[in-house]
Amino acid sequence: MKKFLTFLIILAVIMYFTRPGAEKHKEAIADKIVKATADGGLDSTAIVCWDFEGKNEELLKQAKEKPEEARKAIAEEIGKTLTLKNFWLCNVGTVNYNGKQQNVSLGMFGHVFCTGVK
């Protein structure tokens, strides 16, 4: 039993110190959007499939032609509405969409899992 509790405590400490920051969340979401666009476009039900201040067409074209520039532009746009909710062992990225806060990413162990991009 002691070994199991020690393992849980060590795991919790590792999780606490490896929570990714906001930049990692922005980069992961932008990467996922660019990849989804290159693979045929975003699903219309994707949470992050909103109009970036009227720039969707421009960003989608840029994602296909110049993915690295598109990543930077999308990360910048996402950063305007992204909020991190920090929990002890992980953090959750949320964006404001149509007046509602919606979860789009989960960060733990130094990695970000995107939940709002399809």
Side-chain angles (χ1 to χ4, degrees), residues 18-41:
T18 60
R19 290 176 300 167
E23 283 300 314
K24 271 229 176 186
H25 280 264
K26 289 190 290 188
E27 290 170 8
I29 295 167
D31 285 344
K32 190 78 169 181
I33 291 172
V34 169
K35 185 178 183 311
T37 302
D39 291 344

Short mmCIF file of all heavy atoms in Angstrom, two decimals, residues 18-41:
data_model
loop_
_atom_site.label_atom_id
_atom_site.label_comp_id
_atom_site.label_asym_id
_atom_site.label_seq_id
_atom_site.Cartn_x
_atom_site.Cartn_y
_atom_site.Cartn_z
N THR A 18 4.47 19.48 -14.99
CA THR A 18 4.54 19.36 -16.45
C THR A 18 3.29 19.88 -17.15
O THR A 18 3.09 19.60 -18.33
CB THR A 18 4.79 17.90 -16.88
OG1 THR A 18 3.72 17.08 -16.40
CG2 THR A 18 6.12 17.39 -16.37
N ARG A 19 2.47 20.66 -16.44
CA ARG A 19 1.30 21.27 -17.10
C ARG A 19 1.79 22.27 -18.14
O ARG A 19 2.61 23.13 -17.83
CB ARG A 19 0.43 22.02 -16.09
CG ARG A 19 -0.31 21.15 -15.13
CD ARG A 19 -1.06 21.98 -14.13
NE ARG A 19 -0.09 22.80 -13.40
CZ ARG A 19 -0.40 23.82 -12.63
NH1 ARG A 19 -1.65 24.17 -12.47
NH2 ARG A 19 0.52 24.50 -12.01
N PRO A 20 1.30 22.17 -19.37
CA PRO A 20 1.75 23.11 -20.42
C PRO A 20 1.13 24.49 -20.24
O PRO A 20 0.05 24.63 -19.66
CB PRO A 20 1.27 22.45 -21.71
CG PRO A 20 0.16 21.55 -21.30
CD PRO A 20 0.43 21.14 -19.90
N GLY A 21 1.82 25.49 -20.77
CA GLY A 21 1.34 26.86 -20.68
C GLY A 21 0.43 27.24 -21.84
O GLY A 21 0.15 26.43 -22.73
N ALA A 22 0.00 28.48 -21.84
CA ALA A 22 -0.93 28.97 -22.86
C ALA A 22 -0.33 28.89 -24.27
O ALA A 22 -1.04 28.58 -25.23
CB ALA A 22 -1.34 30.41 -22.54
N GLU A 23 0.96 29.16 -24.39
CA GLU A 23 1.60 29.11 -25.72
C GLU A 23 1.50 27.70 -26.33
O GLU A 23 1.22 27.56 -27.51
CB GLU A 23 3.07 29.53 -25.63
CG GLU A 23 3.27 31.02 -25.52
CD GLU A 23 2.71 31.78 -26.71
OE1 GLU A 23 2.93 31.37 -27.86
OE2 GLU A 23 2.02 32.79 -26.47
N LYS A 24 1.72 26.69 -25.50
CA LYS A 24 1.62 25.31 -25.99
C LYS A 24 0.19 25.01 -26.44
O LYS A 24 -0.01 24.32 -27.44
CB LYS A 24 2.04 24.33 -24.91
CG LYS A 24 3.49 24.03 -24.90
CD LYS A 24 3.67 22.53 -24.85
CE LYS A 24 5.14 22.25 -24.93
NZ LYS A 24 5.44 20.88 -25.02
N HIS A 25 -0.79 25.51 -25.70
CA HIS A 25 -2.18 25.29 -26.08
C HIS A 25 -2.47 25.96 -27.42
O HIS A 25 -3.07 25.35 -28.31
CB HIS A 25 -3.13 25.83 -25.00
CG HIS A 25 -3.29 24.92 -23.83
ND1 HIS A 25 -4.34 24.03 -23.72
CD2 HIS A 25 -2.54 24.76 -22.72
CE1 HIS A 25 -4.23 23.37 -22.59
NE2 HIS A 25 -3.14 23.80 -21.96
N LYS A 26 -2.04 27.22 -27.58
CA LYS A 26 -2.27 27.93 -28.84
C LYS A 26 -1.61 27.22 -30.01
O LYS A 26 -2.22 27.05 -31.07
CB LYS A 26 -1.74 29.37 -28.76
CG LYS A 26 -2.57 30.26 -27.86
CD LYS A 26 -2.18 31.71 -27.97
CE LYS A 26 -0.83 31.99 -27.38
NZ LYS A 26 -0.51 33.42 -27.31
N GLU A 27 -0.37 26.78 -29.82
CA GLU A 27 0.36 26.09 -30.89
C GLU A 27 -0.32 24.77 -31.26
O GLU A 27 -0.45 24.44 -32.44
CB GLU A 27 1.80 25.82 -30.46
CG GLU A 27 2.64 27.07 -30.37
CD GLU A 27 3.99 26.82 -29.73
OE1 GLU A 27 4.35 25.64 -29.48
OE2 GLU A 27 4.70 27.81 -29.45
N ALA A 28 -0.75 24.02 -30.27
CA ALA A 28 -1.38 22.72 -30.53
C ALA A 28 -2.70 22.90 -31.29
O ALA A 28 -2.99 22.16 -32.23
CB ALA A 28 -1.62 21.96 -29.23
N ILE A 29 -3.49 23.87 -30.88
CA ILE A 29 -4.77 24.12 -31.55
C ILE A 29 -4.52 24.59 -32.98
O ILE A 29 -5.17 24.13 -33.92
CB ILE A 29 -5.62 25.13 -30.76
CG1 ILE A 29 -6.02 24.53 -29.40
CG2 ILE A 29 -6.86 25.53 -31.55
CD1 ILE A 29 -6.57 25.55 -28.44
N ALA A 30 -3.57 25.51 -33.16
CA ALA A 30 -3.25 26.01 -34.50
C ALA A 30 -2.75 24.88 -35.39
O ALA A 30 -3.15 24.77 -36.56
CB ALA A 30 -2.23 27.13 -34.41
N ASP A 31 -1.88 24.02 -34.86
CA ASP A 31 -1.38 22.87 -35.64
C ASP A 31 -2.52 21.97 -36.07
O ASP A 31 -2.58 21.51 -37.21
CB ASP A 31 -0.38 22.05 -34.82
CG ASP A 31 0.97 22.71 -34.69
OD1 ASP A 31 1.25 23.65 -35.46
OD2 ASP A 31 1.75 22.28 -33.81
N LYS A 32 -3.43 21.72 -35.16
CA LYS A 32 -4.57 20.84 -35.45
C LYS A 32 -5.47 21.46 -36.52
O LYS A 32 -5.96 20.76 -37.41
CB LYS A 32 -5.35 20.59 -34.16
CG LYS A 32 -6.38 19.55 -34.26
CD LYS A 32 -5.75 18.18 -34.21
CE LYS A 32 -6.85 17.15 -34.03
NZ LYS A 32 -6.36 15.82 -33.93
N ILE A 33 -5.69 22.78 -36.46
CA ILE A 33 -6.53 23.45 -37.46
C ILE A 33 -5.88 23.39 -38.83
O ILE A 33 -6.52 23.08 -39.83
CB ILE A 33 -6.82 24.92 -37.06
CG1 ILE A 33 -7.74 24.94 -35.84
CG2 ILE A 33 -7.43 25.69 -38.21
CD1 ILE A 33 -7.92 26.33 -35.25
N VAL A 34 -4.57 23.68 -38.89
CA VAL A 34 -3.85 23.64 -40.17
C VAL A 34 -3.87 22.23 -40.75
O VAL A 34 -4.11 22.03 -41.94
CB VAL A 34 -2.41 24.18 -40.01
CG1 VAL A 34 -1.59 23.91 -41.25
CG2 VAL A 34 -2.44 25.66 -39.70
N LYS A 35 -3.65 21.22 -39.90
CA LYS A 35 -3.66 19.84 -40.37
C LYS A 35 -5.05 19.44 -40.87
O LYS A 35 -5.18 18.83 -41.93
CB LYS A 35 -3.22 18.90 -39.25
CG LYS A 35 -3.09 17.46 -39.70
CD LYS A 35 -2.61 16.58 -38.56
CE LYS A 35 -2.39 15.16 -38.96
NZ LYS A 35 -3.42 14.50 -39.68
N ALA A 36 -6.08 19.82 -40.13
CA ALA A 36 -7.45 19.49 -40.55
C ALA A 36 -7.79 20.18 -41.86
O ALA A 36 -8.46 19.60 -42.72
CB ALA A 36 -8.44 19.89 -39.46
N THR A 37 -7.33 21.40 -42.04
CA THR A 37 -7.59 22.15 -43.28
C THR A 37 -6.88 21.49 -44.45
O THR A 37 -7.45 21.33 -45.52
CB THR A 37 -7.12 23.61 -43.13
OG1 THR A 37 -7.82 24.19 -42.04
CG2 THR A 37 -7.40 24.40 -44.37
N ALA A 38 -5.64 21.07 -44.23
CA ALA A 38 -4.88 20.40 -45.29
C ALA A 38 -5.49 19.05 -45.65
O ALA A 38 -5.40 18.61 -46.79
CB ALA A 38 -3.43 20.24 -44.87
N ASP A 39 -6.13 18.41 -44.68
CA ASP A 39 -6.73 17.09 -44.90
C ASP A 39 -8.15 17.18 -45.44
O ASP A 39 -8.86 16.18 -45.48
CB ASP A 39 -6.75 16.27 -43.60
CG ASP A 39 -5.36 15.86 -43.18
OD1 ASP A 39 -4.43 15.93 -44.01
OD2 ASP A 39 -5.19 15.48 -42.00
N GLY A 40 -8.60 18.36 -45.82
CA GLY A 40 -9.93 18.47 -46.42
C GLY A 40 -10.85 19.47 -45.76
O GLY A 40 -11.99 19.60 -46.16
N GLY A 41 -10.38 20.14 -44.75
CA GLY A 41 -11.20 21.18 -44.14
C GLY A 41 -11.73 20.80 -42.78
O GLY A 41 -11.76 19.63 -42.41
#
